[in-house]
Short mmCIF file of all heavy atoms in Angstrom, two decimals:
data_model
loop_
_atom_site.label_atom_id
_atom_site.label_comp_id
_atom_site.label_asym_id
_atom_site.label_seq_id
_atom_site.Cartn_x
_atom_site.Cartn_y
_atom_site.Cartn_z
N LEU U 1 105.40 85.86 110.58
CA LEU U 1 105.14 85.08 111.78
C LEU U 1 106.22 85.40 112.80
O LEU U 1 107.41 85.28 112.51
CB LEU U 1 105.14 83.58 111.47
CG LEU U 1 104.88 82.63 112.64
CD1 LEU U 1 103.46 82.82 113.17
CD2 LEU U 1 105.08 81.18 112.20
N HIS U 2 105.81 85.82 114.00
CA HIS U 2 106.79 86.19 115.03
C HIS U 2 106.23 85.86 116.40
O HIS U 2 105.17 86.35 116.80
CB HIS U 2 107.10 87.69 114.94
CG HIS U 2 108.06 88.17 115.98
ND1 HIS U 2 109.38 87.74 116.04
CD2 HIS U 2 107.90 89.05 117.02
CE1 HIS U 2 109.98 88.32 117.05
NE2 HIS U 2 109.12 89.11 117.67
N ASN U 3 106.94 85.00 117.12
CA ASN U 3 106.54 84.62 118.49
C ASN U 3 105.09 84.15 118.56
O ASN U 3 104.35 84.51 119.49
CB ASN U 3 106.78 85.79 119.45
CG ASN U 3 108.25 86.02 119.73
OD1 ASN U 3 109.09 85.16 119.48
ND2 ASN U 3 108.57 87.21 120.24
N GLY U 4 104.69 83.37 117.59
CA GLY U 4 103.34 82.82 117.58
C GLY U 4 102.26 83.76 117.08
O GLY U 4 101.09 83.40 117.02
N ILE U 5 102.65 84.97 116.69
CA ILE U 5 101.70 85.95 116.15
C ILE U 5 101.83 85.96 114.63
O ILE U 5 102.92 86.12 114.10
CB ILE U 5 101.97 87.36 116.71
CG1 ILE U 5 101.98 87.35 118.24
CG2 ILE U 5 100.93 88.34 116.17
CD1 ILE U 5 100.66 87.00 118.87
N TYR U 6 100.70 85.78 113.96
CA TYR U 6 100.68 85.70 112.50
C TYR U 6 100.07 86.97 111.93
O TYR U 6 98.94 87.34 112.28
CB TYR U 6 99.87 84.48 112.07
CG TYR U 6 99.79 84.26 110.58
CD1 TYR U 6 100.94 84.13 109.82
CD2 TYR U 6 98.55 84.16 109.95
CE1 TYR U 6 100.87 83.92 108.45
CE2 TYR U 6 98.48 83.94 108.58
CZ TYR U 6 99.64 83.82 107.84
OH TYR U 6 99.57 83.61 106.48
N ALA U 7 100.82 87.68 111.08
CA ALA U 7 100.35 88.90 110.44
C ALA U 7 100.01 88.61 108.99
O ALA U 7 100.90 88.34 108.18
CB ALA U 7 101.41 89.99 110.54
N LEU U 8 98.72 88.65 108.67
CA LEU U 8 98.22 88.35 107.33
C LEU U 8 98.04 89.65 106.56
O LEU U 8 97.25 90.52 106.94
CB LEU U 8 96.89 87.60 107.44
CG LEU U 8 96.08 87.40 106.15
CD1 LEU U 8 96.86 86.58 105.14
CD2 LEU U 8 94.75 86.72 106.47
N ASP U 9 98.78 89.78 105.45
CA ASP U 9 98.70 90.97 104.62
C ASP U 9 97.28 91.17 104.10
O ASP U 9 96.64 90.22 103.64
CB ASP U 9 99.67 90.82 103.43
CG ASP U 9 99.94 92.12 102.70
OD1 ASP U 9 98.97 92.77 102.28
OD2 ASP U 9 101.12 92.49 102.55
N PHE U 10 96.77 92.40 104.21
CA PHE U 10 95.42 92.70 103.72
C PHE U 10 95.24 92.26 102.27
O PHE U 10 94.14 91.84 101.87
CB PHE U 10 95.15 94.21 103.81
CG PHE U 10 94.48 94.65 105.08
CD1 PHE U 10 94.69 93.96 106.27
CD2 PHE U 10 93.66 95.77 105.10
CE1 PHE U 10 94.07 94.37 107.46
CE2 PHE U 10 93.03 96.18 106.27
CZ PHE U 10 93.24 95.48 107.45
N LYS U 11 96.30 92.32 101.47
CA LYS U 11 96.20 91.98 100.06
C LYS U 11 96.00 90.49 99.84
O LYS U 11 95.67 90.07 98.72
CB LYS U 11 97.44 92.48 99.31
CG LYS U 11 97.61 94.00 99.34
CD LYS U 11 98.75 94.47 98.45
CE LYS U 11 100.12 94.11 98.96
NZ LYS U 11 100.46 94.86 100.20
N LEU U 12 96.21 89.69 100.89
CA LEU U 12 96.06 88.24 100.78
C LEU U 12 94.84 87.72 101.54
O LEU U 12 94.63 86.51 101.61
CB LEU U 12 97.32 87.54 101.29
CG LEU U 12 98.60 87.81 100.49
CD1 LEU U 12 99.80 87.16 101.17
CD2 LEU U 12 98.47 87.31 99.06
N MET U 13 94.04 88.61 102.09
CA MET U 13 92.85 88.17 102.83
C MET U 13 91.78 87.63 101.88
O MET U 13 91.65 88.09 100.74
CB MET U 13 92.24 89.34 103.62
CG MET U 13 93.07 89.83 104.77
SD MET U 13 92.16 90.98 105.85
CE MET U 13 91.73 92.29 104.72
N ASP U 14 91.00 86.66 102.35
CA ASP U 14 89.83 86.24 101.60
C ASP U 14 88.67 87.18 101.96
O ASP U 14 88.80 88.08 102.79
CB ASP U 14 89.49 84.77 101.86
CG ASP U 14 89.13 84.48 103.31
OD1 ASP U 14 88.94 85.43 104.10
OD2 ASP U 14 89.03 83.29 103.66
N LYS U 15 87.53 86.97 101.31
CA LYS U 15 86.40 87.88 101.51
C LYS U 15 85.89 87.84 102.95
O LYS U 15 85.51 88.88 103.51
CB LYS U 15 85.27 87.51 100.55
CG LYS U 15 84.10 88.50 100.58
CD LYS U 15 83.05 88.16 99.52
CE LYS U 15 81.91 89.17 99.55
NZ LYS U 15 80.89 88.85 98.52
N LYS U 16 85.91 86.66 103.56
CA LYS U 16 85.40 86.53 104.93
C LYS U 16 86.26 87.34 105.89
O LYS U 16 85.74 88.05 106.76
CB LYS U 16 85.36 85.05 105.33
CG LYS U 16 84.71 84.82 106.70
CD LYS U 16 84.66 83.33 107.03
CE LYS U 16 83.67 82.60 106.17
NZ LYS U 16 83.50 81.19 106.63
N ASP U 17 87.58 87.24 105.76
CA ASP U 17 88.47 88.03 106.61
C ASP U 17 88.28 89.52 106.36
O ASP U 17 88.27 90.32 107.29
CB ASP U 17 89.92 87.65 106.36
CG ASP U 17 90.35 86.40 107.12
OD1 ASP U 17 89.62 86.00 108.04
OD2 ASP U 17 91.40 85.83 106.79
N SER U 18 88.12 89.89 105.09
CA SER U 18 87.95 91.30 104.74
C SER U 18 86.69 91.88 105.36
O SER U 18 86.69 93.01 105.87
CB SER U 18 87.90 91.46 103.21
OG SER U 18 89.12 91.04 102.62
N LEU U 19 85.61 91.12 105.33
CA LEU U 19 84.36 91.58 105.92
C LEU U 19 84.47 91.68 107.44
O LEU U 19 83.87 92.56 108.07
CB LEU U 19 83.21 90.65 105.53
CG LEU U 19 82.76 90.75 104.07
CD1 LEU U 19 81.74 89.65 103.75
CD2 LEU U 19 82.14 92.12 103.78
N TYR U 20 85.24 90.79 108.04
CA TYR U 20 85.42 90.84 109.49
C TYR U 20 86.21 92.10 109.88
O TYR U 20 85.91 92.73 110.90
CB TYR U 20 86.14 89.59 109.98
CG TYR U 20 86.08 89.41 111.48
CD1 TYR U 20 84.96 88.87 112.09
CD2 TYR U 20 87.14 89.80 112.29
CE1 TYR U 20 84.89 88.72 113.47
CE2 TYR U 20 87.09 89.65 113.67
CZ TYR U 20 85.96 89.11 114.25
OH TYR U 20 85.89 88.98 115.62
N VAL U 21 87.21 92.45 109.08
CA VAL U 21 87.96 93.69 109.33
C VAL U 21 87.02 94.89 109.28
O VAL U 21 87.08 95.79 110.13
CB VAL U 21 89.10 93.85 108.31
CG1 VAL U 21 89.71 95.26 108.40
CG2 VAL U 21 90.18 92.81 108.54
N LEU U 22 86.14 94.92 108.29
CA LEU U 22 85.18 96.02 108.17
C LEU U 22 84.28 96.10 109.39
O LEU U 22 84.00 97.19 109.91
CB LEU U 22 84.33 95.83 106.91
CG LEU U 22 83.22 96.87 106.67
CD1 LEU U 22 83.81 98.27 106.51
CD2 LEU U 22 82.39 96.49 105.45
N GLU U 23 83.84 94.94 109.88
CA GLU U 23 82.98 94.90 111.07
C GLU U 23 83.72 95.43 112.29
O GLU U 23 83.16 96.20 113.09
CB GLU U 23 82.50 93.47 111.30
CG GLU U 23 81.45 93.34 112.39
CD GLU U 23 80.94 91.92 112.56
OE1 GLU U 23 81.43 91.02 111.84
OE2 GLU U 23 80.07 91.71 113.42
N MET U 24 84.99 95.05 112.45
CA MET U 24 85.78 95.56 113.57
C MET U 24 85.97 97.06 113.46
O MET U 24 85.80 97.81 114.43
CB MET U 24 87.16 94.88 113.60
CG MET U 24 87.17 93.44 114.04
SD MET U 24 88.87 92.85 114.40
CE MET U 24 89.64 93.00 112.78
N ARG U 25 86.33 97.51 112.26
CA ARG U 25 86.64 98.93 112.03
C ARG U 25 85.45 99.83 112.31
O ARG U 25 85.60 100.97 112.80
CB ARG U 25 87.14 99.09 110.59
CG ARG U 25 87.22 100.52 110.06
CD ARG U 25 88.14 101.39 110.87
NE ARG U 25 88.21 102.73 110.34
CZ ARG U 25 87.28 103.67 110.50
NH1 ARG U 25 86.20 103.41 111.23
NH2 ARG U 25 87.43 104.88 109.99
N ASN U 26 84.25 99.37 112.02
CA ASN U 26 83.06 100.20 112.20
C ASN U 26 82.40 100.03 113.56
O ASN U 26 81.40 100.69 113.85
CB ASN U 26 82.04 99.91 111.10
CG ASN U 26 82.41 100.58 109.78
OD1 ASN U 26 83.18 101.54 109.75
ND2 ASN U 26 81.87 100.07 108.68
N GLN U 27 82.97 99.15 114.40
CA GLN U 27 82.43 99.02 115.75
C GLN U 27 82.70 100.32 116.50
O GLN U 27 83.81 100.87 116.44
CB GLN U 27 83.10 97.83 116.44
CG GLN U 27 82.31 97.20 117.55
CD GLN U 27 82.52 97.93 118.88
OE1 GLN U 27 83.45 98.70 119.03
NE2 GLN U 27 81.67 97.65 119.84
N PRO U 28 81.70 100.88 117.20
CA PRO U 28 81.85 102.20 117.82
C PRO U 28 83.08 102.36 118.70
O PRO U 28 83.70 103.44 118.71
CB PRO U 28 80.56 102.33 118.64
CG PRO U 28 79.56 101.51 117.89
CD PRO U 28 80.34 100.34 117.36
N GLU U 29 83.47 101.32 119.42
CA GLU U 29 84.64 101.39 120.29
C GLU U 29 85.92 101.70 119.51
O GLU U 29 86.83 102.36 120.02
CB GLU U 29 84.80 100.06 121.05
CG GLU U 29 85.98 100.01 122.01
CD GLU U 29 86.12 98.65 122.67
OE1 GLU U 29 85.11 97.93 122.79
OE2 GLU U 29 87.24 98.32 123.08
N VAL U 30 85.97 101.21 118.27
CA VAL U 30 87.13 101.44 117.41
C VAL U 30 86.96 102.72 116.60
O VAL U 30 87.86 103.57 116.53
CB VAL U 30 87.35 100.25 116.45
CG1 VAL U 30 88.46 100.54 115.44
CG2 VAL U 30 87.67 98.98 117.24
N ALA U 31 85.77 102.90 116.01
CA ALA U 31 85.54 104.00 115.08
C ALA U 31 85.66 105.37 115.71
O ALA U 31 86.02 106.35 115.03
CB ALA U 31 84.15 103.84 114.43
N ARG U 32 85.39 105.49 117.00
CA ARG U 32 85.37 106.82 117.62
C ARG U 32 86.74 107.47 117.69
O ARG U 32 86.86 108.68 117.89
CB ARG U 32 84.76 106.75 119.03
CG ARG U 32 85.56 105.98 120.06
CD ARG U 32 84.72 105.73 121.30
NE ARG U 32 85.42 105.00 122.34
CZ ARG U 32 85.89 105.58 123.45
NH1 ARG U 32 85.72 106.88 123.63
NH2 ARG U 32 86.51 104.86 124.36
N PHE U 33 87.81 106.68 117.46
CA PHE U 33 89.16 107.25 117.47
C PHE U 33 89.77 107.30 116.07
O PHE U 33 90.97 107.57 115.92
CB PHE U 33 90.06 106.46 118.40
CG PHE U 33 89.68 106.61 119.86
CD1 PHE U 33 89.25 105.51 120.59
CD2 PHE U 33 89.75 107.84 120.48
CE1 PHE U 33 88.90 105.64 121.93
CE2 PHE U 33 89.39 107.99 121.83
CZ PHE U 33 88.96 106.89 122.54
N MET U 34 88.95 107.05 115.04
CA MET U 34 89.43 107.11 113.66
C MET U 34 89.12 108.48 113.05
O MET U 34 88.33 109.25 113.58
CB MET U 34 88.76 106.00 112.84
CG MET U 34 89.07 104.60 113.32
SD MET U 34 90.83 104.22 113.15
CE MET U 34 90.85 102.49 113.65
N LEU U 35 89.75 108.76 111.91
CA LEU U 35 89.50 110.02 111.22
C LEU U 35 88.06 110.11 110.74
O LEU U 35 87.47 111.19 110.71
CB LEU U 35 90.46 110.18 110.04
CG LEU U 35 91.94 110.34 110.40
CD1 LEU U 35 92.77 110.52 109.14
CD2 LEU U 35 92.16 111.51 111.33
N THR U 36 87.49 108.97 110.35
CA THR U 36 86.09 108.92 109.93
C THR U 36 85.37 107.88 110.79
O THR U 36 85.94 106.83 111.11
CB THR U 36 85.95 108.54 108.44
OG1 THR U 36 86.66 107.32 108.19
CG2 THR U 36 86.54 109.64 107.56
N SER U 37 84.13 108.17 111.12
CA SER U 37 83.40 107.30 112.04
C SER U 37 83.11 105.94 111.42
O SER U 37 83.30 104.90 112.06
CB SER U 37 82.09 107.97 112.47
OG SER U 37 82.36 109.16 113.18
N ASN U 38 82.62 105.94 110.19
CA ASN U 38 82.26 104.68 109.54
C ASN U 38 82.72 104.69 108.09
O ASN U 38 82.80 105.73 107.45
CB ASN U 38 80.74 104.46 109.59
CG ASN U 38 80.25 104.09 110.97
OD1 ASN U 38 80.00 104.97 111.79
ND2 ASN U 38 80.12 102.81 111.24
#
């Protein structure tokens, strides 16, 4: 926790948070600059 920003370790995420990360990662705006598209 730093200046009101909370960083949650991936290893401590619940399933709902994990699925949301996957949804963000595969959104075209994000995926187009990754090593793999999806």
Side-chain angles (χ1 to χ4, degrees):
L1 180 66
H2 178 64
N3 288 342
I5 306 295
Y6 181 57
L8 170 62
D9 195 306
F10 267 30
K11 297 187 290 291
L12 296 175
M13 292 191 300
D14 62 11
K15 186 175 181 180
K16 186 178 289 188
D17 278 345
S18 297
L19 288 173
Y20 193 81
V21 169
L22 177 61
E23 188 177 1
M24 288 192 297
R25 167 60 179 77
N26 282 339
Q27 204 275 345
E29 180 183 335
V30 174
R32 67 192 181 104
F33 292 116
M34 298 296 185
L35 294 181
T36 54
S37 297
N38 287 85

